[in-house]
């Protein structure tokens, strides 16, 4: 049987024997059923593992949340008094942050990543590897932070966990590096599908946020993985629902309000992005010590959550109260507002505080030392934004809007503005609410929010820092070309010319082999003096009376642009377009000539990359 893979860098004899059997199984599968079926089988396996991980996370957070909620009663039962129980309950978010931070440092180390930005950058650079510890470290740290009352979402840790499962599964089964990114996407999509019971949204999230350059054919294994994860999560957690949503049929007269709501959601989404980066940057700038940052952020967070318990946890229970129109229930959860007299201004105060402070609480939780993401806070903010918009319009008496419907489309609008994933937002809300009745309003709000958010802030919450550091661009073609350096595509075979050579000798060579588009003119140390282009030689050949007396010096030209071997092909393509030329010289930093780069070589390389990305 033909050996397809080899064992590398395995020192333990037992490990070598184990890996040998894995290798034999992989080679046997490839020889009998091919690579595509093997990737499909791994996609199913990844879906199962990711679903089990998310079920464990959900159970852990639910159990820990119930236990924390019972702390005041437990303290009273042991004779501690009601006041002491409330104080301990109010301090539990900080306790969760401390425990989460200890887990992060002990397992993940100082470079522990809590955002999807490093993952996006790694995929952009074709590095689809993740530490094995990330298959479980995010589950533990986020469960402690959010389960104890921290104001953050579990989706980013879940996506990182699923991605780590996909990457390490591919590594264990000897999947080539160029295919591991696909398995990583399978794990990420399966995680979203298992959390929200929304397989379509899981696939779209991986395609829009993590792997935007993959083709439609690459979605097939992610679809399989998401479907399997959704089935398993439903089987193990049949009663799991984030919130019960009552959706009414949408009305045509509300279409202008959908458009306006999309604009409002875009503004709120941009506020979420800019506030998150502003607070995160200042926390790290002025509180350099992680323990000092944890203490200050934890104290501020505990105070905010004591005043507004509506900001605790992921917030899905409070979203359910919005759909039910139960403002009294939300107000009862506010330590401060429930003491004030009734009035519309109290309701709007509660809605405004929830909209503007949720992202603050989330940043304090995550960047203060806990673990979590901005996914759930953006949906929470969106639900309150949509509800507040409809409630305010209804008070004007101009038109009567369905506040529960606008809570749903507000979730979609702000999510789209923050994540820049419009299709994910549409199908996520449709699947979470178990209704496609709002599909048209969701499409309107999502597209409007995406357009206006892009005007105010070009990048998503995950790509902003990468784009501002020139580490990532949104253009697919430029992204693919940035991965390859000029040194790997330049032509190193060339005929060296010297300034004092006669032109007649070059003409004889051109007549015999006219395939070279340019010739370098070098000095004695190999430095580039100029370039002789084939077109100039052809023109000189037309004047037979003069070319016998011409030297290379007479027809050489100074290059309009000189590339460096370390430049990427995107920069080279920009130079070609600027100079309007088809070949450019490549020299190192000392001016030593290394070769030529031809425009057609970039096109050929790009076609191969597109074909590879489009393959299954």
């Amino acid at each position: 049987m033909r050996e397809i893979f080899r064992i590398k860098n395995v020192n333990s004899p037992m490990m070598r024997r184990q890996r040998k059997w894995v290798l034999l199984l992989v080679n046997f599968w490839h020889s009998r059923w091919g690579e595509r079926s093997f990737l499909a089988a791994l996609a199913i396996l990844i879906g199962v593992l990711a679903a089990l991980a998310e079920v464990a996370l959900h159970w852990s957070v639910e159990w820990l949340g119930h236990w924390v909620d019972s702390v005041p009663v437990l303290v009273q039962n042991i004779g501690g008094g009601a006041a002491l129980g409330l104080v301990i309950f109010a301090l539990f978010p900080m306790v969760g942050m401390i425990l989460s931070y200890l887990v992060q440092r002990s397992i993940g180390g100082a470079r522990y990543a809590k955002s999807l930005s490093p993952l996006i950058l790694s995929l952009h650079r074709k590095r689809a590897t993740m530490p094995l510890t990330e298959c479980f470290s995010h589950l533990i740290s986020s469960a402690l932070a959010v389960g104890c009352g921290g104001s953050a979402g579990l989706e980013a840790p879940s996506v990182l966990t699923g991605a780590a499962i996909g990457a390490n599964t591919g590594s264990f089964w000897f999947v080539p590096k160029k295919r591991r990114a696909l398995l990583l996407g399978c794990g990420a999509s399966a995680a979203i599908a298992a959390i929200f019971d929304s397989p379509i949204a899981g696939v779209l999230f991986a395609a829009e946020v993590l792997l935007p350059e993959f083709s439609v054919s690459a979605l097939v294994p992610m679809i399989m993985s998401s479907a399997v994860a959704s089935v398993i999560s439903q089987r193990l957690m049949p009663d799991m629902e984030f919130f019960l949503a009552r959706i009414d049929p949408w009305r045509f007269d509300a279409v202008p309000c959908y458009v306006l709501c999309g604009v409002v959601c875009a503004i709120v989404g941009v506020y979420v992005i800019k506030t998150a980066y502003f607070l995160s940057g200042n926390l790290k700038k002025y509180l350099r010590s992680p323990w000092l940052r944890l203490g200050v952020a934890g104290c501020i967070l505990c105070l905010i959550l004591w005043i507004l318990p509506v900001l605790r946890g992921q917030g899905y229970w409070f979203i359910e109260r919005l759909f039910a129109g139960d403002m009294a229930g939300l107000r009862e959860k506010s330590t401060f507002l429930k003491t004030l007299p009734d009035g519309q201004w109290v309701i709007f105060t509660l809605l405004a505080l929830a909209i503007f402070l949720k992202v603050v609480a989330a940043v304090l939780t995550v960047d203060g030392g806990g673990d979590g993401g901005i996914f759930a806070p953006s949906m929470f903010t969106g639900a309150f934004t949509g509800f507040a918009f409809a409630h305010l319009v209804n008070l004007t008496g101009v038109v009567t809007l369905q506040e529960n419907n606008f809570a749903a489309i507000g979730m979609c609008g702000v999510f789209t503005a923050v994540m820049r994933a419009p299709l994910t937002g549409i199908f996520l809300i449709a699947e979470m609410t178990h209704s496609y009745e709002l599909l048209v309003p969701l499409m309107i709000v999502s597209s409007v929010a995406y357009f206006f958010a892009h005007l105010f802030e070009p990048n998503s919450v995950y790509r902003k820092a990468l784009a501002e550091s020139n580490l990532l661009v949104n253009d697919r073609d430029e992204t693919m070309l940035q991965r390859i350096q000029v040194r790997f595509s330049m032509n190193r075979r060339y005929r060296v010319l010297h300034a004092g050579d006669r032109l007649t000798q070059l003409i004889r060579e051109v007549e015999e082999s006219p395939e070279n588009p340019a010739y370098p003119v070098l000095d004695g140390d190999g430095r580039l003096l100029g370039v002789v282009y084939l077109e100039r030689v052809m023109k000189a050949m037309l004047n037979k009376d003069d070319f016998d007396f011409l030297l290379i010096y007479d027809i050489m030209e100074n290059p309009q642009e000189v590339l460096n071997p370390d430049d990427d092909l995107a920069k080279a393509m920009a130079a070609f377009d600027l100079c309007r030329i088809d070949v450019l010289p490549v020299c190192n930093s000392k001016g030593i000539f290394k070769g030529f780069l031809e425009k057609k070589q970039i096109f050929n390389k790009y076609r191969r990359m597109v074909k590879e990305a489009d393959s299954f």
Side-chain angles (χ1 to χ4, degrees):
M1 182 176 61
R2 181 172 61 91
E3 182 176 322
I4 301 177
F5 305 104
R6 296 179 180 177
I7 300 177
K8 297 181 181 180
N9 302 325
V10 180
N11 298 321
S12 171
M14 181 179 297
M15 182 66 71
R16 287 186 63 87
R17 286 194 297 270
Q18 179 183 356
R19 298 287 274 175
K20 181 179 179 180
W21 282 107
V22 174
L23 179 64
L24 291 174
L25 179 59
V26 172
N27 288 334
F28 174 76
W29 190 299
H30 275 259
S31 62
R32 291 291 299 271
W33 299 292
E35 183 186 23
R36 292 192 176 188
S37 63
F38 184 67
L39 291 177
L42 289 184
I44 295 174
L45 175 62
I46 291 170
V48 173
L49 297 176
L52 294 177
E54 303 319 312
V55 169
L57 177 60
H58 178 80
W59 282 343
S60 300
V61 172
E62 190 175 90
W63 176 83
L64 191 58
H66 287 313
W67 183 81
V68 171
D69 290 339
S70 65
V71 164
V73 178
L74 293 176
V75 173
Q76 289 185 28
N77 291 339
I78 60 176
L84 179 62
L86 291 176
V87 170
I88 295 176
F89 175 78
L91 292 176
F92 251 100
M94 180 183 286
V95 174
M97 290 171 60
I98 295 173
L99 296 176
S100 175
Y101 178 74
L102 293 175
V103 170
Q104 296 166 33
R105 292 303 300 267
S106 61
I107 299 178
R111 298 180 64 87
Y112 188 85
K114 293 180 280 190
S115 171
L116 298 185
S117 297
L119 176 60
I120 293 173
L121 181 60
S122 297
L123 291 172
H124 170 73
R125 294 178 173 176
K126 289 292 186 181
R127 298 173 185 170
T129 57
M130 297 182 70
L132 181 63
T133 55
E134 292 202 27
C135 293
F136 56 87
S137 60
H138 290 285
L139 299 180
I140 302 173
S141 60
S142 61
L144 291 170
V146 179
C148 289
S151 183
L154 297 173
E155 294 77 18
S158 300
V159 169
L160 290 171
T161 299
I165 291 173
N168 285 280
T169 300
S171 177
F172 180 83
W173 290 101
F174 292 95
V175 175
K177 291 183 179 180
K178 63 181 181 180
R179 304 294 191 197
R180 290 180 193 173
L182 181 60
L183 297 182
L184 190 150
C186 290
S189 60
I192 295 295
I195 293 172
F196 294 108
D197 188 19
S198 54
I200 298 177
V203 174
L204 293 175
F205 178 82
E208 288 186 304
V209 178
L210 300 180
L211 303 170
E213 65 193 52
F214 270 60
S215 65
V216 175
S217 61
L219 299 180
V220 175
M222 288 192 282
I223 291 174
M224 299 170 65
S225 184
S226 295
V228 170
S230 182
V231 170
I232 292 178
S233 64
Q234 287 185 34
R235 181 65 178 174
L236 296 179
M237 298 183 296
D239 299 327
M240 184 195 74
E241 279 192 276
F242 284 94
F243 50 80
L244 297 175
R246 179 177 59 85
I247 300 300
D248 299 322
W250 65 280
R251 301 198 311 267
F252 183 79
D253 61 344
V255 170
C257 293
Y258 293 140
V259 176
L260 185 57
C261 183
V263 177
V264 174
C265 289
I267 296 173
V268 173
V270 172
Y271 163 80
V272 170
I273 296 175
K274 292 187 177 295
T275 302
Y277 274 87
F278 176 79
L279 292 178
S280 176
N282 281 281
L283 278 175
K284 296 173 183 177
K285 179 180 179 180
Y286 295 108
L287 303 174
R288 296 184 179 275
S289 170
W291 286 106
L292 177 62
R293 186 163 59 244
L294 195 154
V296 174
C299 290
I300 298 174
L301 177 66
C302 289
L303 178 61
I304 292 175
L305 297 183
W306 177 74
I307 296 174
L308 285 174
V310 70
L311 302 179
R312 290 180 68 92
Q314 300 180 81
Y316 292 117
W317 183 88
F318 303 104
I319 295 177
E320 182 178 341
R321 295 296 91 208
L322 280 184
F323 278 105
D326 184 14
M327 294 306 299
L330 290 176
R331 185 180 172 185
E332 286 298 318
K333 288 290 184 178
S334 174
T335 307
F336 173 68
L337 295 179
K338 69 179 180 181
T339 62
L340 299 177
D342 293 336
Q344 287 294 335
W345 67 275
V346 177
I347 295 177
F348 278 110
T349 300
L350 174 60
L351 294 174
L353 291 175
I355 293 171
F356 292 109
L357 291 182
K358 182 62 176 179
V359 61
V360 175
V363 172
L364 291 173
T365 301
V366 178
D367 289 287
D371 196 0
I374 201 70
F375 199 109
S378 66
M379 297 178 67
F380 176 95
T381 304
F384 276 76
T385 299
F387 185 91
F389 174 85
H391 194 71
L392 180 62
V393 172
N394 287 339
L395 289 180
T396 64
V398 177
V399 64
T400 302
L401 301 179
Q402 301 151 305
E403 295 177 350
N404 54 326
N405 284 8
F406 273 81
I409 67 172
M411 293 172 66
C412 175
V414 174
F415 175 88
T416 298
V418 173
M419 304 292 173
R420 304 300 159 84
L423 292 177
T424 304
I426 293 170
F427 285 95
L428 179 63
I429 303 307
E431 290 181 304
M432 288 183 70
T433 57
H434 303 288
S435 173
Y436 283 87
E437 287 190 68
L438 289 181
L439 194 59
V440 172
L442 289 173
M443 295 170 67
I444 295 173
V445 172
S446 179
S447 58
V448 171
Y450 183 89
F451 175 78
F452 280 94
H454 187 75
L455 289 180
F456 303 138
E457 170 56 57
N459 300 289
S460 70
V461 68
Y462 295 131
R463 292 174 174 259
K464 179 177 173 62
L466 301 176
E468 291 179 351
S469 303
N470 295 321
L471 297 174
L472 192 67
V473 294
N474 292 323
D475 183 81
R476 182 195 182 194
D477 298 336
E478 190 173 354
T479 298
M480 297 180 74
L481 292 177
Q482 279 184 339
R483 295 176 180 156
I484 303 179
Q485 292 178 326
V486 168
R487 67 173 70 252
F488 299 114
S489 302
M490 65 185 186
N491 182 9
R492 302 175 187 272
R493 294 180 297 178
Y494 48 86
R495 162 75 160 82
V496 177
L497 302 177
H498 299 284
D501 294 343
R502 289 189 174 275
L503 180 61
T504 52
Q505 183 179 357
L506 177 60
I507 289 177
R508 285 194 295 269
E509 293 184 10
V510 170
E511 290 175 343
E512 294 175 0
S513 55
E515 66 275 1
N516 293 328
Y519 300 87
V521 182
L522 309 181
D523 64 9
D525 296 326
R527 292 185 176 86
L528 183 69
L529 298 177
V531 178
V532 175
Y533 293 100
L534 181 61
E535 295 179 359
R536 187 71 181 272
V537 178
M538 302 296 286
K539 290 180 181 179
M541 291 173 62
L542 297 177
N543 192 347
K544 296 183 179 181
D545 297 332
D546 295 335
F547 71 69
D548 287 334
F549 306 100
L550 293 176
L551 301 177
I552 295 299
Y553 176 82
D554 298 320
I555 65 169
M556 75 179 188
E557 304 176 25
N558 290 324
Q560 301 180 50
E561 185 76 24
V562 177
L563 299 174
N564 188 282
D566 294 327
D567 292 338
D568 55 58
L569 293 187
K571 182 178 180 180
M573 202 66 196
F576 281 125
D577 294 338
L578 179 65
C579 301
R580 297 183 179 180
I581 199 169
D582 294 331
V583 60
L584 286 172
V586 182
C587 300
N588 64 14
S589 57
K590 298 180 180 180
I592 304 299
F593 181 76
K594 295 298 182 180
F596 281 112
L597 181 67
E598 299 179 40
K599 197 172 185 179
K600 65 178 182 180
Q601 291 175 319
I602 298 181
F603 287 141
N604 294 335
K605 179 76 72 171
Y606 176 76
R607 281 193 290 268
R608 288 195 296 270
M609 293 174 67
V610 171
K611 183 178 180 181
E612 179 180 311
D614 289 345
S615 64
F616 181 68

